[in-house]
Amino acid sequence: MELLYKSTRSDHAKVTASQAILKGLAEDGGLYLPEKIPTLNCSMEALSKMTYQEVAYEVMKLYLTDFTEEELKQCINSAYDEKFDTKEIVPIRKVNQTYYLELFHGATIAFKDMALSILPHLMTVSAKKNQVKNEIVILTATSGDTGKAALAGFADVEGTKIIVFYPKGGVSPIQEKQMVTQKGKNTYVVGIHGNFDDAQNGVKEIFGNQKLKEQMNQAGFQFSSANSINIGRLVPQIVYYVYSYAKLLAEGEIENGETIHVVVPTGNFGNILAAFFAKEMGVPIARLLCASNENKVLYDFFSTGSYNKNREFILTSSPSMDILISSNLERLIYKIAREDAKANQELMLSLKENGIYTITEEMKTQLKDFYGNYATEEETEKTIQQLYEKTGYVIDTHTAVAAAVYKKYQEETKDQKKTLVVSTASPYKFTRSVMNSIDKKYSNMEDFELVDELSRISHTAVPKAIEEIRNANVVHDRVCNANQMTEMVQEILGI
Ligand SMILES: *Cc1c(COP(=O)(O)O)cnc(C)c1O
């Protein structure tokens, strides 16, 4: 049976999964959602005997119904291969009676690899399926993490090119080095004189440039986007929640049917939304704990029913969660508005115009499985430090926000239910903040000295992703002004 996708902002114009992947955003500005969330048609018992790739197939085939078995398996096997430094793809570490789901064993040692290593393959298959003859050009503005994960995912994928713009001087030295050393004949990295917003606005302008679009089409190119609202990123993220439950069952950590909590460090609300989908599909998840850093707009939303982005933007040690507009929340809003596109559209309009919206009491009652809280910078540091002192396990700053929120939840509720804390980045990705949390004496050490020290104290090997950039050559040195981005794209594509 074919599953179609509709926009969160109108009821007409349904599209297939492959079309939704190609388009990214619906034409009315809404986000695509499946008409109905499918339920798992395979028992947990059966899933518990499967590999990650097999579970991925069982989950994704329910969503991507216009992909053939062969196409989907090909995508899965091209994504989840030796790029990951462990056969399990997403190992679970039990520390202090808590389960840490490590989503950072891919090419760029952060959780965005989970979706961005498969999206390029889903996209090229989707293009073929829809008779798209043009080469797909992915255009991304990045404040650091997404850019590298997208570059790694699309590198040398046939039929695609990827161009990443980042603010020169506005990302960490390690992040910059990761990008400018990126291999792959189809990858282009450009530093711009300006900040992240300038880069983001430039990309939006290029996407809306009709003249450029025609020019591209004539030369055999078309743009697409890899950002986190694409259902091609959401669907692969559901997989690891199904897999982790099955894995806990396989290892005798839980009984079949026993419910667990999940704690997710959240920015754009993509990862936790995937957990919500897994729950709706039938995974026995009790509560979804939404963890924010000091940009606690989601915590305020869950406690008051008002989403209010009118506030100061705070730079924290968990930069991938420094976000004031959580784009993927719109999908949840639409769901709790009982799929009333008009009601959702009004709320989103209010957000755009006034920076705030408030949901109804009836909608609020449907959020009872969500729990929101946040961690301050100090609490985040302390969490890293105490966990290390007690157990020797080192977590990154984003994961620490989740662990700190989980602790608050336990203290508040005395709830002892088994819990999965989602670990979204390797501590090697945020070495400086992590080491400073463990001991202030590290504050005057160099970046790579800190890497070696982290390896020593945590008894873990330095990940390949870090070793690679230690001595890698810079291969991208393009720089331009923010108002020259269009010309830069034309130059790169030779049009
Ligand atoms: C992107 C990111 C997050 C936030 O994920 P969302 O899906 O945007 O909520 C958390 N941690 C890390 C390390 C990330 O890169």
Side-chain angles (χ1 to χ4, degrees):
M1 212 181 61
E2 173 129 90
L3 183 65
L4 292 178
Y5 287 76
K6 58 181 178 177
S7 164
T8 50
R9 297 196 192 176
S10 61
D11 292 322
H12 39 267
K14 290 178 181 140
V15 299
T16 61
S18 64
Q19 287 164 342
I21 288 170
L22 283 175
K23 282 172 176 259
L25 206 64
E27 257 140 50
D28 56 22
L31 277 56
Y32 283 117
L33 267 180
E35 284 190 289
K36 190 170 171 294
I37 299 182
T39 44
L40 285 169
N41 55 13
C42 197
S43 72
M44 268 304 160
E45 188 80 69
L47 288 163
S48 73
K49 298 187 174 66
M50 293 184 192
T51 62
Y52 189 84
Q53 292 81 354
E54 288 164 346
V55 173
Y57 176 69
E58 289 305 319
V59 174
M60 292 180 69
K61 73 172 188 195
L62 302 173
Y63 287 92
L64 309 182
T65 52
D66 63 336
F67 282 57
T68 65
E69 174 170 352
E70 196 193 343
E71 285 168 341
L72 187 51
K73 286 189 170 165
Q74 174 74 32
C75 290
I76 290 169
N77 294 330
S78 312
Y80 305 115
D81 60 7
E82 301 78 48
K83 289 192 284 298
F84 285 76
D85 66 10
T86 151
K87 253 194 136 93
E88 293 168 285
I89 308 296
V90 292
I92 299 175
R93 280 284 299 265
K94 185 177 184 182
V95 181
N96 239 358
Q97 299 309 310
T98 301
Y99 303 94
Y100 289 84
L101 172 62
E102 296 187 347
L103 301 181
F104 55 74
H105 290 270
T108 76
I109 56 175
F111 106 94
K112 289 189 178 65
D113 290 330
M114 296 311 302
L116 282 168
S117 47
I118 193 164
L119 181 69
H121 304 288
L122 298 176
M123 225 172 231
T124 49
V125 171
S126 297
K128 237 182 251 152
K129 224 175 247 314
N130 291 278
Q131 281 84 46
V132 172
K133 298 276 185 305
N134 288 336
E135 195 167 347
I136 307 272
V137 180
I138 299 292
L139 206 58
T140 303
T142 186
S143 54
D145 272 2
T146 308
K148 176 63 189 183
L151 282 165
F154 280 91
D156 288 329
V157 172
E158 217 164 297
T160 71
K161 285 194 188 335
I162 173 161
I163 307 174
V164 170
F165 289 98
Y166 74 95
K168 185 99 189 133
V171 301
S172 83
I174 288 202
Q175 284 176 322
E176 179 170 35
K177 186 131 195 225
Q178 276 193 308
M179 289 193 279
V180 298
T181 57
Q182 176 65 48
K183 297 194 184 105
K185 288 191 296 291
N186 63 339
T187 64
Y188 304 88
V189 179
V190 185
I192 66 150
H193 299 300
N195 59 27
F196 172 64
D197 280 338
D198 298 327
Q200 178 102 315
N201 289 335
V203 164
K204 272 192 196 147
E205 226 166 82
I206 295 175
F207 274 130
N209 185 334
Q210 285 306 319
K211 216 174 117 218
L212 181 64
K213 197 170 168 181
E214 275 164 36
Q215 213 183 13
M216 299 252 309
N217 196 26
Q218 274 172 15
F221 297 114
Q222 73 185 55
F223 287 128
S224 196
S225 150
N227 69 19
S228 85
I229 49 92
N230 196 309
I231 62 126
R233 283 188 61 180
L234 179 64
V235 172
Q237 292 178 181
I238 303 168
V239 174
Y240 45 77
Y241 289 105
V242 179
Y243 177 80
S244 345
Y245 188 90
K247 185 86 182 166
L248 290 174
L249 181 63
E251 295 186 346
E253 297 289 343
I254 53 173
E255 306 277 333
N256 201 353
E258 179 178 351
T259 58
I260 61 169
H261 297 317
V262 299
V263 193
V264 189
T266 308
N268 234 338
F269 210 75
N271 199 354
I272 191 165
L273 187 75
F276 172 74
F277 269 62
K279 178 173 162 64
E280 295 286 298
M281 289 180 80
V283 178
I285 293 171
R287 301 194 79 181
L288 302 144
L289 280 62
C290 176
S292 303
N293 63 23
E294 288 181 2
N295 295 293
K296 59 184 181 57
V297 65
L298 285 166
Y299 163 67
D300 293 339
F301 168 69
F302 284 114
S303 20
T304 65
S306 280
Y307 191 95
N308 186 354
K309 78 163 181 82
N310 301 316
R311 62 182 72 207
E312 191 196 339
F313 177 82
I314 302 167
L315 287 171
T316 73
S317 60
S318 46
S320 305
M321 294 156 64
D322 289 344
I323 281 172
L324 291 183
I325 298 184
S326 300
S327 332
N328 271 297
L329 183 66
E330 177 170 346
R331 289 188 162 113
L332 181 67
I333 298 296
Y334 175 76
K335 282 267 167 217
I336 61 173
R338 305 208 184 272
E339 315 215 341
D340 181 341
K342 199 157 162 287
N344 173 63
Q345 190 177 21
E346 276 164 21
L347 295 176
M348 294 308 134
L349 193 66
S350 169
L351 179 65
K352 192 170 172 211
E353 288 179 350
N354 314 313
I356 179 169
Y357 64 80
T358 303
I359 60 171
T360 64
E361 280 307 313
E362 200 277 326
M363 287 167 79
K364 229 178 133 179
T365 59
Q366 293 180 65
L367 294 177
K368 61 180 187 325
D369 293 335
F370 283 89
Y371 165 90
N373 215 325
Y374 72 102
T376 63
E377 287 294 276
E378 201 188 329
E379 287 164 340
T380 305
E381 267 195 14
K382 244 191 172 154
T383 303
I384 295 172
Q385 202 248 343
Q386 288 178 348
L387 188 65
Y388 170 68
E389 299 266 291
K390 256 200 218 153
T391 69
Y393 187 54
V394 181
I395 55 176
D396 100 291
T397 45
H398 303 75
T399 310
V401 167
V405 163
Y406 176 46
K407 186 158 173 250
K408 285 187 181 177
Y409 174 77
Q410 275 186 309
E411 281 166 6
E412 254 171 49
T413 61
K414 311 283 177 243
D415 187 346
Q416 292 299 318
K417 196 182 280 296
K418 287 169 191 152
T419 298
L420 191 68
V421 171
V422 177
S423 181
T424 51
S426 159
Y428 286 94
K429 186 139 196 172
F430 298 94
T431 323
R432 182 162 296 282
S433 305
V434 167
M435 294 303 277
N436 270 336
S437 305
I438 289 174
D439 197 324
K440 293 283 175 268
K441 76 178 181 202
Y442 293 125
S443 63
N444 47 26
M445 273 167 87
E446 299 290 329
D447 281 335
F448 279 100
E449 274 182 288
L450 285 173
V451 162
D452 292 328
E453 183 66 6
L454 172 56
S455 173
R456 195 184 67 76
I457 67 161
S458 65
H459 308 287
T460 57
V462 177
K464 204 168 85 208
I466 297 290
E467 277 308 348
E468 269 173 7
I469 58 165
R470 205 192 279 260
N471 304 306
N473 291 326
V474 171
V475 289
H476 302 278
D477 56 4
R478 286 189 169 88
V479 179
C480 73
N481 288 325
N483 60 9
Q484 296 171 322
M485 286 167 62
T486 308
E487 288 79 3
M488 185 53 93
V489 168
Q490 288 168 319
E491 184 192 311
I492 287 171
L493 298 177
I495 56 174

mmCIF file of all heavy atoms in Angstrom, residues 109-147:
data_model
loop_
_atom_site.group_PDB
_atom_site.id
_atom_site.type_symbol
_atom_site.label_atom_id
_atom_site.label_comp_id
_atom_site.label_asym_id
_atom_site.label_seq_id
_atom_site.Cartn_x
_atom_site.Cartn_y
_atom_site.Cartn_z
ATOM 1 N N ILE A 109 31.671 11.963 13.560
ATOM 2 C CA ILE A 109 31.511 11.694 14.987
ATOM 3 C C ILE A 109 30.415 12.510 15.681
ATOM 4 O O ILE A 109 30.532 12.886 16.842
ATOM 5 C CB ILE A 109 32.851 11.762 15.771
ATOM 6 C CG1 ILE A 109 33.574 13.103 15.590
ATOM 7 C CG2 ILE A 109 33.767 10.626 15.362
ATOM 8 C CD1 ILE A 109 34.842 13.214 16.472
ATOM 9 N N ALA A 110 29.310 12.762 14.970
ATOM 10 C CA ALA A 110 28.131 13.358 15.598
ATOM 11 C C ALA A 110 26.877 12.733 14.996
ATOM 12 O O ALA A 110 26.931 12.120 13.931
ATOM 13 C CB ALA A 110 28.123 14.864 15.421
ATOM 14 N N PHE A 111 25.748 12.924 15.667
ATOM 15 C CA PHE A 111 24.555 12.144 15.302
ATOM 16 C C PHE A 111 23.999 12.493 13.927
ATOM 17 O O PHE A 111 23.269 11.705 13.343
ATOM 18 C CB PHE A 111 23.485 12.271 16.402
ATOM 19 C CG PHE A 111 22.321 13.154 16.052
ATOM 20 C CD1 PHE A 111 21.165 12.594 15.518
ATOM 21 C CD2 PHE A 111 22.371 14.509 16.247
ATOM 22 C CE1 PHE A 111 20.087 13.391 15.188
ATOM 23 C CE2 PHE A 111 21.295 15.316 15.920
ATOM 24 C CZ PHE A 111 20.148 14.760 15.390
ATOM 25 N N LYS A 112 24.361 13.672 13.391
ATOM 26 C CA LYS A 112 23.822 14.025 12.075
ATOM 27 C C LYS A 112 24.298 13.053 10.994
ATOM 28 O O LYS A 112 23.672 12.930 9.948
ATOM 29 C CB LYS A 112 24.153 15.467 11.738
ATOM 30 C CG LYS A 112 23.334 16.393 12.625
ATOM 31 C CD LYS A 112 23.400 17.838 12.266
ATOM 32 C CE LYS A 112 22.514 18.648 13.194
ATOM 33 N NZ LYS A 112 22.976 18.616 14.605
ATOM 34 N N ASP A 113 25.377 12.334 11.266
ATOM 35 C CA ASP A 113 25.824 11.294 10.329
ATOM 36 C C ASP A 113 24.756 10.218 10.144
ATOM 37 O O ASP A 113 24.699 9.589 9.088
ATOM 38 C CB ASP A 113 27.081 10.598 10.864
ATOM 39 C CG ASP A 113 28.304 11.506 10.820
ATOM 40 O OD1 ASP A 113 28.362 12.377 9.939
ATOM 41 O OD2 ASP A 113 29.196 11.323 11.664
ATOM 42 N N MET A 114 23.943 9.985 11.157
ATOM 43 C CA MET A 114 22.951 8.907 11.073
ATOM 44 C C MET A 114 22.023 9.128 9.878
ATOM 45 O O MET A 114 21.680 8.200 9.167
ATOM 46 C CB MET A 114 22.111 8.810 12.358
ATOM 47 C CG MET A 114 22.889 8.448 13.602
ATOM 48 S SD MET A 114 23.963 7.020 13.414
ATOM 49 C CE MET A 114 22.806 5.763 12.939
ATOM 50 N N ALA A 115 21.625 10.375 9.669
ATOM 51 C CA ALA A 115 20.729 10.662 8.550
ATOM 52 C C ALA A 115 21.494 11.112 7.307
ATOM 53 O O ALA A 115 21.146 10.744 6.190
ATOM 54 C CB ALA A 115 19.728 11.740 8.950
ATOM 55 N N LEU A 116 22.572 11.884 7.520
ATOM 56 C CA LEU A 116 23.248 12.455 6.347
ATOM 57 C C LEU A 116 24.112 11.441 5.604
ATOM 58 O O LEU A 116 24.560 11.708 4.497
ATOM 59 C CB LEU A 116 24.047 13.684 6.741
ATOM 60 C CG LEU A 116 23.151 14.926 6.911
ATOM 61 C CD1 LEU A 116 23.901 16.060 7.588
ATOM 62 C CD2 LEU A 116 22.598 15.403 5.565
ATOM 63 N N SER A 117 24.337 10.271 6.194
ATOM 64 C CA SER A 117 25.057 9.281 5.396
ATOM 65 C C SER A 117 24.108 8.513 4.476
ATOM 66 O O SER A 117 24.545 7.895 3.525
ATOM 67 C CB SER A 117 25.887 8.339 6.276
ATOM 68 O OG SER A 117 25.142 7.885 7.345
ATOM 69 N N ILE A 118 22.820 8.583 4.728
ATOM 70 C CA ILE A 118 21.892 7.885 3.828
ATOM 71 C C ILE A 118 21.126 8.845 2.908
ATOM 72 O O ILE A 118 20.758 8.471 1.788
ATOM 73 C CB ILE A 118 20.917 6.956 4.611
ATOM 74 C CG1 ILE A 118 20.196 6.023 3.628
ATOM 75 C CG2 ILE A 118 19.928 7.720 5.473
ATOM 76 C CD1 ILE A 118 19.509 4.836 4.263
ATOM 77 N N LEU A 119 20.939 10.091 3.338
ATOM 78 C CA LEU A 119 20.156 11.039 2.530
ATOM 79 C C LEU A 119 20.638 11.165 1.069
ATOM 80 O O LEU A 119 19.817 11.160 0.150
ATOM 81 C CB LEU A 119 20.122 12.416 3.209
ATOM 82 C CG LEU A 119 19.302 13.459 2.453
ATOM 83 C CD1 LEU A 119 17.815 13.143 2.492
ATOM 84 C CD2 LEU A 119 19.546 14.861 3.003
ATOM 85 N N PRO A 120 21.959 11.254 0.828
ATOM 86 C CA PRO A 120 22.406 11.381 -0.565
ATOM 87 C C PRO A 120 21.934 10.216 -1.438
ATOM 88 O O PRO A 120 21.557 10.415 -2.581
ATOM 89 C CB PRO A 120 23.932 11.375 -0.456
ATOM 90 C CG PRO A 120 24.212 11.821 0.933
ATOM 91 C CD PRO A 120 23.089 11.311 1.771
ATOM 92 N N HIS A 121 21.933 9.025 -0.868
ATOM 93 C CA HIS A 121 21.503 7.843 -1.630
ATOM 94 C C HIS A 121 19.995 7.866 -1.852
ATOM 95 O O HIS A 121 19.516 7.552 -2.935
ATOM 96 C CB HIS A 121 21.955 6.568 -0.915
ATOM 97 C CG HIS A 121 23.438 6.538 -0.685
ATOM 98 N ND1 HIS A 121 24.334 6.346 -1.701
ATOM 99 C CD2 HIS A 121 24.173 6.752 0.434
ATOM 100 C CE1 HIS A 121 25.568 6.419 -1.218
ATOM 101 N NE2 HIS A 121 25.489 6.663 0.080
ATOM 102 N N LEU A 122 19.263 8.262 -0.813
ATOM 103 C CA LEU A 122 17.804 8.375 -0.967
ATOM 104 C C LEU A 122 17.489 9.416 -2.043
ATOM 105 O O LEU A 122 16.566 9.261 -2.835
ATOM 106 C CB LEU A 122 17.154 8.800 0.357
ATOM 107 C CG LEU A 122 17.314 7.829 1.532
ATOM 108 C CD1 LEU A 122 16.696 8.427 2.800
ATOM 109 C CD2 LEU A 122 16.684 6.474 1.229
ATOM 110 N N MET A 123 18.298 10.468 -2.080
ATOM 111 C CA MET A 123 18.037 11.542 -3.022
ATOM 112 C C MET A 123 18.324 11.127 -4.460
ATOM 113 O O MET A 123 17.558 11.441 -5.372
ATOM 114 C CB MET A 123 18.884 12.746 -2.645
ATOM 115 C CG MET A 123 18.097 14.020 -2.692
ATOM 116 S SD MET A 123 19.097 15.317 -2.023
ATOM 117 C CE MET A 123 17.959 15.996 -0.832
ATOM 118 N N THR A 124 19.417 10.430 -4.686
ATOM 119 C CA THR A 124 19.730 10.045 -6.068
ATOM 120 C C THR A 124 18.721 9.010 -6.580
ATOM 121 O O THR A 124 18.316 9.069 -7.735
ATOM 122 C CB THR A 124 21.178 9.531 -6.222
ATOM 123 O OG1 THR A 124 21.432 8.567 -5.213
ATOM 124 C CG2 THR A 124 22.184 10.649 -6.088
ATOM 125 N N VAL A 125 18.287 8.106 -5.714
ATOM 126 C CA VAL A 125 17.249 7.148 -6.125
ATOM 127 C C VAL A 125 15.950 7.903 -6.420
ATOM 128 O O VAL A 125 15.277 7.647 -7.419
ATOM 129 C CB VAL A 125 17.009 6.070 -5.038
ATOM 130 C CG1 VAL A 125 15.787 5.220 -5.366
ATOM 131 C CG2 VAL A 125 18.235 5.184 -4.888
ATOM 132 N N SER A 126 15.618 8.877 -5.563
ATOM 133 C CA SER A 126 14.400 9.669 -5.762
ATOM 134 C C SER A 126 14.456 10.422 -7.085
ATOM 135 O O SER A 126 13.459 10.527 -7.797
ATOM 136 C CB SER A 126 14.212 10.672 -4.624
ATOM 137 O OG SER A 126 14.048 10.002 -3.403
ATOM 138 N N ALA A 127 15.620 10.947 -7.412
ATOM 139 C CA ALA A 127 15.778 11.695 -8.665
ATOM 140 C C ALA A 127 15.510 10.776 -9.855
ATOM 141 O O ALA A 127 14.769 11.122 -10.778
ATOM 142 C CB ALA A 127 17.180 12.292 -8.748
ATOM 143 N N LYS A 128 16.092 9.599 -9.820
ATOM 144 C CA LYS A 128 15.907 8.636 -10.913
ATOM 145 C C LYS A 128 14.437 8.283 -11.069
ATOM 146 O O LYS A 128 13.877 8.251 -12.150
ATOM 147 C CB LYS A 128 16.722 7.380 -10.607
ATOM 148 C CG LYS A 128 17.721 7.075 -11.731
ATOM 149 C CD LYS A 128 18.480 5.804 -11.446
ATOM 150 C CE LYS A 128 19.931 6.136 -11.105
ATOM 151 N NZ LYS A 128 20.551 5.150 -10.218
ATOM 152 N N LYS A 129 13.813 7.998 -9.924
ATOM 153 C CA LYS A 129 12.411 7.587 -9.892
ATOM 154 C C LYS A 129 11.486 8.633 -10.504
ATOM 155 O O LYS A 129 10.457 8.316 -11.067
ATOM 156 C CB LYS A 129 12.030 7.420 -8.422
ATOM 157 C CG LYS A 129 11.243 6.222 -8.125
ATOM 158 C CD LYS A 129 11.034 6.119 -6.650
ATOM 159 C CE LYS A 129 11.769 4.914 -6.136
ATOM 160 N NZ LYS A 129 11.561 3.737 -6.938
ATOM 161 N N ASN A 130 11.859 9.904 -10.361
ATOM 162 C CA ASN A 130 11.016 10.990 -10.852
ATOM 163 C C ASN A 130 11.545 11.582 -12.160
ATOM 164 O O ASN A 130 11.222 12.714 -12.506
ATOM 165 C CB ASN A 130 10.875 12.067 -9.772
ATOM 166 C CG ASN A 130 10.041 11.569 -8.597
ATOM 167 O OD1 ASN A 130 8.826 11.582 -8.653
ATOM 168 N ND2 ASN A 130 10.700 11.101 -7.548
ATOM 169 N N GLN A 131 12.335 10.795 -12.851
ATOM 170 C CA GLN A 131 12.884 11.199 -14.166
ATOM 171 C C GLN A 131 13.608 12.549 -14.116
ATOM 172 O O GLN A 131 13.578 13.307 -15.075
ATOM 173 C CB GLN A 131 11.777 11.258 -15.242
ATOM 174 C CG GLN A 131 11.373 9.907 -15.806
ATOM 175 C CD GLN A 131 10.338 9.221 -14.926
ATOM 176 O OE1 GLN A 131 9.377 9.854 -14.519
ATOM 177 N NE2 GLN A 131 10.547 7.958 -14.619
ATOM 178 N N VAL A 132 14.224 12.824 -12.994
ATOM 179 C CA VAL A 132 15.039 14.038 -12.934
ATOM 180 C C VAL A 132 16.361 13.735 -13.618
ATOM 181 O O VAL A 132 17.073 12.824 -13.215
ATOM 182 C CB VAL A 132 15.285 14.457 -11.461
ATOM 183 C CG1 VAL A 132 16.287 15.597 -11.387
ATOM 184 C CG2 VAL A 132 13.982 14.854 -10.800
ATOM 185 N N LYS A 133 16.661 14.490 -14.675
ATOM 186 C CA LYS A 133 17.909 14.221 -15.413
ATOM 187 C C LYS A 133 19.035 15.117 -14.912
ATOM 188 O O LYS A 133 20.200 14.853 -15.122
ATOM 189 C CB LYS A 133 17.702 14.476 -16.918
ATOM 190 C CG LYS A 133 16.648 13.588 -17.567
ATOM 191 C CD LYS A 133 17.241 12.244 -17.974
ATOM 192 C CE LYS A 133 16.253 11.366 -18.735
ATOM 193 N NZ LYS A 133 14.982 11.123 -18.016
ATOM 194 N N ASN A 134 18.656 16.216 -14.275
ATOM 195 C CA ASN A 134 19.659 17.171 -13.803
ATOM 196 C C ASN A 134 20.524 16.592 -12.696
ATOM 197 O O ASN A 134 20.097 15.709 -11.955
ATOM 198 C CB ASN A 134 18.968 18.422 -13.247
ATOM 199 C CG ASN A 134 18.366 19.278 -14.336
ATOM 200 O OD1 ASN A 134 18.810 19.209 -15.484
ATOM 201 N ND2 ASN A 134 17.368 20.074 -13.980
ATOM 202 N N GLU A 135 21.714 17.148 -12.601
ATOM 203 C CA GLU A 135 22.552 16.832 -11.455
ATOM 204 C C GLU A 135 22.028 17.622 -10.256
ATOM 205 O O GLU A 135 21.644 18.784 -10.387
ATOM 206 C CB GLU A 135 23.998 17.227 -11.771
ATOM 207 C CG GLU A 135 24.992 16.648 -10.835
ATOM 208 C CD GLU A 135 26.433 16.802 -11.354
ATOM 209 O OE1 GLU A 135 26.620 17.131 -12.534
ATOM 210 O OE2 GLU A 135 27.342 16.606 -10.549
ATOM 211 N N ILE A 136 21.983 16.979 -9.086
ATOM 212 C CA ILE A 136 21.474 17.645 -7.884
ATOM 213 C C ILE A 136 22.602 18.426 -7.217
ATOM 214 O O ILE A 136 23.666 17.876 -6.950
ATOM 215 C CB ILE A 136 20.945 16.601 -6.865
ATOM 216 C CG1 ILE A 136 19.936 15.656 -7.513
ATOM 217 C CG2 ILE A 136 20.421 17.265 -5.617
ATOM 218 C CD1 ILE A 136 18.519 16.112 -7.501
ATOM 219 N N VAL A 137 22.337 19.695 -6.967
ATOM 220 C CA VAL A 137 23.335 20.521 -6.279
ATOM 221 C C VAL A 137 22.801 20.862 -4.882
ATOM 222 O O VAL A 137 21.785 21.541 -4.742
ATOM 223 C CB VAL A 137 23.622 21.826 -7.052
ATOM 224 C CG1 VAL A 137 24.653 22.667 -6.313
ATOM 225 C CG2 VAL A 137 24.089 21.515 -8.468
ATOM 226 N N ILE A 138 23.473 20.343 -3.878
ATOM 227 C CA ILE A 138 23.082 20.615 -2.495
ATOM 228 C C ILE A 138 23.761 21.896 -2.046
ATOM 229 O O ILE A 138 24.977 22.048 -2.194
ATOM 230 C CB ILE A 138 23.528 19.460 -1.563
ATOM 231 C CG1 ILE A 138 22.876 18.147 -1.983
ATOM 232 C CG2 ILE A 138 23.244 19.779 -0.107
ATOM 233 C CD1 ILE A 138 21.393 18.081 -1.779
ATOM 234 N N LEU A 139 22.970 22.798 -1.528
ATOM 235 C CA LEU A 139 23.498 24.081 -1.085
ATOM 236 C C LEU A 139 23.204 24.206 0.408
ATOM 237 O O LEU A 139 22.062 24.063 0.831
ATOM 238 C CB LEU A 139 22.732 25.165 -1.850
ATOM 239 C CG LEU A 139 23.399 26.494 -2.078
ATOM 240 C CD1 LEU A 139 24.707 26.318 -2.816
ATOM 241 C CD2 LEU A 139 22.469 27.380 -2.896
ATOM 242 N N THR A 140 24.229 24.457 1.209
ATOM 243 C CA THR A 140 24.027 24.514 2.654
ATOM 244 C C THR A 140 24.818 25.652 3.280
ATOM 245 O O THR A 140 25.969 25.878 2.915
ATOM 246 C CB THR A 140 24.495 23.189 3.308
ATOM 247 O OG1 THR A 140 23.787 22.112 2.709
ATOM 248 C CG2 THR A 140 24.202 23.155 4.785
ATOM 249 N N ALA A 141 24.174 26.337 4.213
ATOM 250 C CA ALA A 141 24.897 27.282 5.061
ATOM 251 C C ALA A 141 25.077 26.573 6.391
ATOM 252 O O ALA A 141 24.176 25.890 6.852
ATOM 253 C CB ALA A 141 24.071 28.545 5.274
ATOM 254 N N THR A 142 26.239 26.714 6.992
ATOM 255 C CA THR A 142 26.475 25.964 8.214
ATOM 256 C C THR A 142 27.152 26.811 9.279
ATOM 257 O O THR A 142 27.932 27.705 8.975
ATOM 258 C CB THR A 142 27.352 24.719 7.938
ATOM 259 O OG1 THR A 142 27.455 23.930 9.115
ATOM 260 C CG2 THR A 142 28.742 25.110 7.472
ATOM 261 N N SER A 143 26.823 26.495 10.533
ATOM 262 C CA SER A 143 27.558 27.129 11.620
ATOM 263 C C SER A 143 28.584 26.125 12.153
ATOM 264 O O SER A 143 29.160 26.326 13.195
ATOM 265 C CB SER A 143 26.588 27.551 12.719
ATOM 266 O OG SER A 143 25.817 26.460 13.123
ATOM 267 N N GLY A 144 28.779 25.044 11.424
ATOM 268 C CA GLY A 144 29.833 24.100 11.818
ATOM 269 C C GLY A 144 29.508 22.643 11.551
ATOM 270 O O GLY A 144 30.054 22.026 10.639
ATOM 271 N N ASP A 145 28.579 22.096 12.311
ATOM 272 C CA ASP A 145 28.370 20.649 12.305
ATOM 273 C C ASP A 145 27.659 20.088 11.076
ATOM 274 O O ASP A 145 28.098 19.103 10.495
ATOM 275 C CB ASP A 145 27.561 20.239 13.533
ATOM 276 C CG ASP A 145 28.466 19.964 14.703
ATOM 277 O OD1 ASP A 145 29.689 20.134 14.531
ATOM 278 O OD2 ASP A 145 27.953 19.580 15.766
ATOM 279 N N THR A 146 26.545 20.705 10.698
ATOM 280 C CA THR A 146 25.764 20.188 9.582
ATOM 281 C C THR A 146 26.588 20.177 8.302
ATOM 282 O O THR A 146 26.531 19.233 7.522
ATOM 283 C CB THR A 146 24.501 21.044 9.367
ATOM 284 O OG1 THR A 146 23.834 21.133 10.611
ATOM 285 C CG2 THR A 146 23.578 20.450 8.347
ATOM 286 N N GLY A 147 27.358 21.232 8.102
ATOM 287 C CA GLY A 147 28.147 21.363 6.882
ATOM 288 C C GLY A 147 29.078 20.185 6.695
ATOM 289 O O GLY A 147 29.107 19.561 5.641
#
